[in-house]
């Protein structure tokens, strides 16, 4: 491989196919970041144009804006509005490289990684791999329901919903129709609340127009939460307002209830309640996901990786964790920091500065999280906000939520697309993306086919 360093340009001219992933030769320290979520990209932004070689690995070639997954699921947005290619993101960053591969194992003794495409060495390793859905060991629930941790999940939910509504218009079996038009959302956090509100508005404004064959009252939406309040990480005011907004939208909220089983047709709770439904969306929990190779003694509750105050993984000198998988356990944060976007972004920026200080033998300060507040929307024009001492709800909270999320989306084109869709929806309640472009098959039927 020939490498031309003139004018700070790196040219790859003859990469051979070997067991090693092809990277330009460099005398700079190599910082490998696994995961291009909020944390990983925030760190990339901090390290761009610096005296380090940054290599970003991800199993997708795009960044996903997770807070708006529910809008893709309910046909309000198209997926390309909230995903952004990594290569477009890093275009012009001379010291940043992207490689499409899934990292399978970390080998700390040799400072190397084994990926699905080959091996690579590192000087500093950053784990920013995020989380996936946690079904808490309930295999039946996992087999028959859908999580919402990936853009593909959102599309699956959309296609499941539309296919079932179409089937409900066909069937003459009343019990079957009820199951096809009942929706159960498990988990009363922001994702569950926002999904419930969006589905309720779909039922109120779209269903009567698209499906005059049956009344909109046939579509029932249930939100199940295991504790006694919604949005338990926010204020009591936000929780009570959210409950009122959802009830106003005819969402059936079941508090102090936990799902014990789901067979694809009937939901069973621990108290013995049963709900007939062919649509179950699971937002009740997450667990960390990361490659093999980290000693189990450094893994804590939620499958998170325990770090010190500088986000360095305990037991390793040059491995760090940021974002949802990092658990900085301290007196002030006995359960680690909240697994939200603002934590991930702050940790990514902090660690970018810290790595440069470590390389230059400068002192580093411990990570300090600054809570900028929490927002959650419950349908159009209604939201709740906790901003320090200020706690408010209603139209202004919704407007603030809209501005914050719109400004956080990557890419001017994506901001424009989302903004345009929101303006149209604001005046018309229209959701123009109600297309079944591929046939959705439940995981259970796919698994049975493979047997």
């Amino acid at each position: 491989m020939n490498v031309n360093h003139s004018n700070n340009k790196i040219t790859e001219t003859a990469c051979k196919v070997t067991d090693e992933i092809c990277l330009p030769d460099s005398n700079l320290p190599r910082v490998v970041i696994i995961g291009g979520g909020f944390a990983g990209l925030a760190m990339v932004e901090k390290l761009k144009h610096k005296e380090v070689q940054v290599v970003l690995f991800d199993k997708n070639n795009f960044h996903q804006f997770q807070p708006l997954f529910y809008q893709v699921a309910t046909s309000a947005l198209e997926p390309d509005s909230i995903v952004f290619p990594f290569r477009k993101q890093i275009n012009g960053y001379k010291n940043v490289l992207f490689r499409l591969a899934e990292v399978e194992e970390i080998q700390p003794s040799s400072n190397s990684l084994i990926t699905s495409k080959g091996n690579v060495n590192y000087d500093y390793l950053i784990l920013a791999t995020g989380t996936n859905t946690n079904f808490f060991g309930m295999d039946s629930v996992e087999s028959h329901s859908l999580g919402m941790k990936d853009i593909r999940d959102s599309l699956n939910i959309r296609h499941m919903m539309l296919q079932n509504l179409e089937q409900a218009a066909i069937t003459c079996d009343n019990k079957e129709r009820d199951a096809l038009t009942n929706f159960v959302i498990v988990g009363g956090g922001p994702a569950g609340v926002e999904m419930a509100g969006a589905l309720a508005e779909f039922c109120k404004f779209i269903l009567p127009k698209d499906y005059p064959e049956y009344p909109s009252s046939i579509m029932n939406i249930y939100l199940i939460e295991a504790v006694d309040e919604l949005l338990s990480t926010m204020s009591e005011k936000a929780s009570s307002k959210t409950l009122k907004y959802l009830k106003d939208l005819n969402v059936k909220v079941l508090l102090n209830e936990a799902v014990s089983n789901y067979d694809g047709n009937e939901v069973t709770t621990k108290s013995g309640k049963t709900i007939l439904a062919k649509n179950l969306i699971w937002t009740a929990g997450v667990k960390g996901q990361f490659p093999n190779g980290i000693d189990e003694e450094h893994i804590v509750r939620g499958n998170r990786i325990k770090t010190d105050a500088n986000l360095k993984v305990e037991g390793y000198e040059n491995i760090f964790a940021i974002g949802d998988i990092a658990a900085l356990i301290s007196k002030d944060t006995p359960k680690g920091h909240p697994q939200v976007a603002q934590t991930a972004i702050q940790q990514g920026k902090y660690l970018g500065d810290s790595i440069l200080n470590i390389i230059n033998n400068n002192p580093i300060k411990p990570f300090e999280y600054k809570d900028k507040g929490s927002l959650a929307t419950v349908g159009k024009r209604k939201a709740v906000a906790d901003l320090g001492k200020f706690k408010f709800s209603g139209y202004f909270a919704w407007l603030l939520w809209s501005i914050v999320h719109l400004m956080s989306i990557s890419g001017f084109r994506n901001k424009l697309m989302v903004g345009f869709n929101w303006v149209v929806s604001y005046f018309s309640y229209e959701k123009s993306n109600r297309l079944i472009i591929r046939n959705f098959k439940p995981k259970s039927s796919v698994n049975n086919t493979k047997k």
Side-chain angles (χ1 to χ4, degrees):
M1 178 174 63
N2 296 326
V3 182
N4 177 15
H5 290 284
S6 62
N7 298 322
N8 295 321
K9 292 183 179 179
I10 300 174
T11 306
E12 301 176 47
T13 58
C15 292
K16 296 180 179 179
V17 178
T18 65
D19 289 336
E20 189 172 342
I21 287 181
C22 185
L23 295 172
D25 292 333
S26 174
N27 293 324
L28 299 175
R30 178 179 291 167
V31 180
V32 172
I33 302 173
I34 309 175
F38 290 112
L41 281 191
M43 188 166 180
V44 166
E45 289 296 315
K46 271 292 180 180
L47 295 178
K48 67 181 181 183
H49 310 311
K50 303 297 183 182
E51 293 298 307
V52 290
Q53 183 189 63
V54 180
V55 185
L56 174 65
F57 279 94
D58 200 287
K59 60 184 178 182
N60 299 308
N61 74 333
F62 52 82
H63 169 71
Q64 310 178 75
F65 192 71
Q66 294 190 18
L68 295 182
F69 278 173
Y70 79 95
Q71 293 204 8
V72 173
T74 53
S75 302
L77 294 173
E78 277 302 295
D80 61 345
S81 301
I82 62 168
V83 297
F84 199 75
F86 289 126
R87 291 193 177 277
K88 189 172 183 179
Q89 182 90 23
I90 66 174
N91 185 27
Y93 299 178
K94 305 298 183 182
N95 66 321
V96 180
L97 304 161
F98 170 71
R99 293 296 181 263
L100 179 66
E102 187 165 3
V103 179
E104 297 170 345
E105 185 177 343
I106 304 166
Q107 297 186 326
S109 60
S110 59
N111 288 339
S112 63
L113 303 173
I114 299 174
T115 82
S116 58
K117 303 292 179 64
N119 303 334
V120 66
N121 295 321
Y122 62 84
D123 294 303
Y124 299 93
L125 176 63
I126 317 301
L127 301 175
T129 44
T131 58
N132 56 17
T133 305
N134 188 357
F135 292 95
F136 303 100
M138 292 187 287
D139 294 337
S140 180
V141 175
E142 183 174 0
S143 296
H144 295 96
S145 66
L146 288 172
M148 200 164 54
K149 291 297 294 179
D150 186 278
I151 193 68
R152 299 170 187 85
D153 293 335
S154 297
L155 286 172
N156 284 338
I157 291 171
R158 178 195 294 189
H159 291 123
M160 173 188 71
M161 174 177 72
L162 295 176
Q163 284 176 200
N164 285 348
L165 290 176
E166 293 294 345
Q167 184 61 32
I170 292 170
T171 184
C172 294
D173 186 324
N174 290 333
K175 188 175 181 180
E176 178 75 2
R177 185 183 293 118
D178 286 344
L180 289 163
T181 55
N182 286 346
F183 290 77
V184 176
I185 302 156
V186 185
V193 163
E194 291 171 352
M195 186 70 194
L199 273 176
E201 290 193 335
F202 185 99
C203 172
K204 185 176 181 179
F205 298 105
I206 304 298
L207 204 69
K209 294 188 296 184
D210 280 14
Y211 301 92
E213 297 91 339
Y214 44 79
S216 59
S217 59
I218 198 172
M219 182 174 170
N220 293 303
I221 301 161
Y222 299 84
L223 179 60
I224 300 177
E225 170 55 47
V227 299
D228 60 358
E229 61 179 352
L230 301 174
L231 301 177
S232 58
T233 58
M234 295 182 68
S235 66
E236 185 179 342
K237 181 178 180 179
S239 176
S240 60
K241 273 291 184 181
T242 298
L243 182 60
K244 179 184 181 302
Y245 290 151
L246 288 174
K247 286 184 176 180
D248 289 345
L249 288 168
N250 294 318
V251 175
K252 296 172 174 57
V253 181
L254 305 179
L255 300 176
N256 291 312
E257 283 285 359
V259 171
S260 60
N261 191 48
Y262 178 56
D263 61 5
N265 194 62
E266 189 174 80
V267 181
T268 306
T269 70
K270 288 186 177 178
S271 69
K273 284 188 175 68
T274 59
I275 303 170
L276 200 63
K278 288 187 177 292
N279 309 279
L280 179 66
I281 301 165
W282 187 272
T283 67
V286 296
K287 58 182 178 181
Q289 57 174 352
F290 46 86
N292 295 325
I294 298 296
D295 197 309
E296 286 188 6
E297 67 177 290
H298 307 304
I299 300 172
V300 297
R301 184 180 178 182
N303 208 40
R304 300 171 77 182
I305 301 173
K306 190 176 181 182
T307 73
D308 64 14
N310 303 123
L311 300 178
K312 183 170 66 175
V313 178
E314 291 192 348
Y316 304 94
E317 288 301 315
N318 59 344
I319 301 179
F320 300 80
I322 53 177
D324 288 354
I325 63 162
L328 199 172
I329 308 296
S330 68
K331 182 179 179 181
D332 295 329
T333 56
K335 296 181 180 179
H337 291 96
Q339 293 169 289
V340 294
Q342 62 172 301
T343 305
I345 293 169
Q346 288 182 36
Q347 289 184 344
K349 291 178 177 179
Y350 161 84
L351 191 56
D353 288 332
S354 294
I355 289 292
L356 295 175
N357 284 326
I358 291 171
I359 291 171
N360 295 317
N361 294 315
N362 294 327
I364 57 175
K365 296 178 180 179
F367 172 72
E368 291 185 12
Y369 173 61
K370 296 179 181 178
D371 188 352
K372 296 181 179 180
S374 301
L375 298 162
T377 184
V378 192
K380 187 165 68 175
R381 303 177 193 172
K382 292 184 177 68
V384 291
D386 286 352
L387 304 178
K389 295 180 180 179
F390 300 98
K391 305 181 192 308
F392 52 96
S393 57
Y395 180 80
F396 182 69
W398 173 82
L399 192 63
L400 181 61
W401 177 95
S402 301
I403 293 170
V404 168
H405 283 71
L406 190 61
M407 296 306 296
S408 301
I409 295 171
S410 297
F412 175 76
R413 173 182 172 275
N414 287 25
K415 287 182 172 69
L416 196 63
M417 290 172 64
V418 172
F420 176 77
N421 274 277
W422 284 356
V423 169
V424 171
S425 176
Y426 182 87
F427 292 105
S428 68
Y429 284 93
E430 176 62 26
K431 296 177 185 289
S432 59
N433 306 306
R434 304 186 298 277
L435 306 173
I436 304 173
I437 55 177
R438 59 180 173 81
N439 188 38
F440 168 72
K441 293 183 179 180
K443 287 179 287 187
S444 54
S445 65
V446 173
N447 292 337
N448 288 336
T449 302
K450 291 180 179 178
K451 289 180 181 179

